[in-house]
Amino acid sequence: MPKRFLMIGAHPDDADIRFGGTAVQLVKAGHIVKFVAMCNGSCGHYSMSGKELAERRYAETQASKAISGIEEYQVLMENNDCELTPDLENRQKVIRIIREFAPDVVLTHRLCDYHADHRATSQLVHDAAYLTQVPKYCPDTPIPAQNPVFACVWDGFIDPRPFRADALVPFDDFVDEKCRMFDCHVSQFYEWLAWEKKMTLDPEKMSWEEKRQFLMDNWGSRYVQVADENRETLIALYGEKGKTIRYAEAFEYSPYGRKVSLEEFRALMMP
């Protein structure tokens, strides 16, 4: 039976960054993946903003969807960047999204993330972990037969504690696909995030090799870090191949949803 994965990020591109390499492999293996952005992306630029930027960023998510082959890339267009709150209205939206998609696994940010929208998204998803199984709450949307497993995507923050890599998925053979997903988000990687790094780029004048190198130099290095910091686990999971894996995405099991063993969680996350 195909497994179903729901990645709920704060912004249009968060799912691509944190889960893209694994998502592509899951889709190729016949599993079903959905991305959700809780915010519309309306503040993620140095010159554009509002409805114009939100519509542009929505179009970028749909281009990424076409590249990756995921089932859906949903953007909650009514939620502006930098204004997301873990209130009852948004909690109900998240619960309905989870119930309607009926995933095996739900992924999101950790609660200790640097960005207010990331933290609010994490709070909303973790608040939903038990409430998805309360039939009298949001009774218009039936509860799924089985509560999903909940998990968090990797981050590098160490306060209050470092990320715990419970499952690791290498994507050395899928770097190109992940970069092509990034490449769809032109307003982010080549404009806003490049501007933050005090770089000026014109992607129309760059070859694919130049763009791929830029993307991996600036966002691929974090997944080299994941692999290097978890080398012993990679070797335990993948044998001799684990010694040479260069890029890996990592996932931390949350006890708030369906209870599974570490071995079961790792098996769930495997493409």
Side-chain angles (χ1 to χ4, degrees):
M1 291 290 293
K3 296 179 287 188
R4 300 174 69 84
F5 293 81
L6 177 62
M7 169 62 203
I8 303 178
H11 307 108
D13 71 359
D14 283 334
D16 309 62
I17 294 172
R18 306 292 182 176
F19 188 54
T22 302
V24 167
Q25 296 179 73
L26 288 166
V27 169
K28 289 182 181 293
H31 305 297
I32 301 166
V33 179
K34 176 177 176 175
F35 289 174
V36 175
M38 290 297 299
C39 301
N40 60 17
S42 59
C43 291
H45 207 273
Y46 58 88
S47 61
M48 298 178 68
S49 62
K51 186 173 183 289
E52 180 186 15
L53 179 58
E55 289 179 349
R56 183 182 180 194
R57 296 196 67 187
Y58 176 79
E60 291 172 345
T61 65
Q62 301 313 294
S64 174
K65 171 186 175 291
I67 291 286
S68 63
I70 64 172
E71 177 100 339
E72 184 180 4
Y73 206 137
Q74 181 181 359
V75 181
L76 276 64
M77 296 296 286
E78 64 273 23
N79 290 339
N80 291 327
D81 276 13
C82 308
E83 298 178 356
L84 186 67
T85 56
D87 57 22
L88 293 178
E89 182 180 2
N90 281 318
R91 179 193 294 175
Q92 291 170 4
K93 290 176 184 177
V94 169
I95 286 171
R96 291 187 174 100
I97 288 169
I98 293 171
R99 287 181 179 175
E100 289 169 358
F101 187 67
D104 294 287
V105 181
V106 178
L107 301 121
T108 193
H109 309 280
R110 282 204 300 166
L111 285 163
C112 61
D113 201 284
Y114 78 105
H115 198 301
D117 291 339
H118 293 194
R119 292 195 301 274
T121 297
S122 180
Q123 187 69 63
L124 287 163
V125 175
H126 283 93
D127 286 350
Y130 175 75
L131 299 182
T132 57
Q133 296 297 296
V134 177
K136 297 300 182 182
Y137 190 57
C138 302
D140 57 304
T141 312
I143 63 173
Q146 179 174 249
N147 200 23
V149 170
F150 283 73
C152 296
V153 291
W154 180 86
D155 64 64
F157 302 109
I158 60 174
D159 188 9
R161 66 163 177 81
F163 186 90
R164 187 184 65 245
D166 293 324
L168 292 152
V169 179
F171 64 95
D172 293 40
D173 296 334
F174 296 89
V175 168
D176 203 67
E177 287 89 340
K178 180 160 178 162
C179 284
R180 290 191 183 278
M181 292 168 69
F182 289 0
D183 186 55
C184 295
H185 298 275
V186 174
S187 70
Q188 293 307 286
F189 292 100
Y190 304 119
E191 297 175 17
W192 167 240
L193 296 175
W195 179 83
E196 281 194 319
K197 294 175 180 290
K198 303 189 184 323
M199 303 171 71
T200 302
L201 298 172
D202 184 350
E204 293 187 2
K205 295 181 180 179
M206 298 168 68
S207 67
W208 170 245
E209 289 73 21
E210 290 171 329
K211 290 195 287 186
R212 187 183 187 276
Q213 189 66 50
F214 164 74
L215 294 167
M216 291 308 294
D217 285 347
N218 288 278
W219 291 277
S221 58
R222 64 185 65 182
Y223 298 104
V224 174
Q225 176 186 342
V226 169
D228 288 343
E229 289 181 351
N230 296 280
R231 185 64 58 192
E232 291 185 7
T233 304
L234 285 171
I235 292 170
L237 291 172
Y238 299 99
E240 284 296 310
K241 182 181 177 182
K243 296 179 180 178
T244 58
I245 288 170
R246 189 173 183 194
Y247 303 104
E249 292 173 342
F251 309 99
E252 179 177 299
Y253 168 74
S254 168
Y256 295 163
R258 177 159 54 94
K259 304 296 190 293
V260 295
S261 68
L262 178 61
E263 291 71 22
E264 289 171 322
F265 177 62
R266 288 174 172 173
L268 264 177
M269 295 307 303
M270 294 297 287

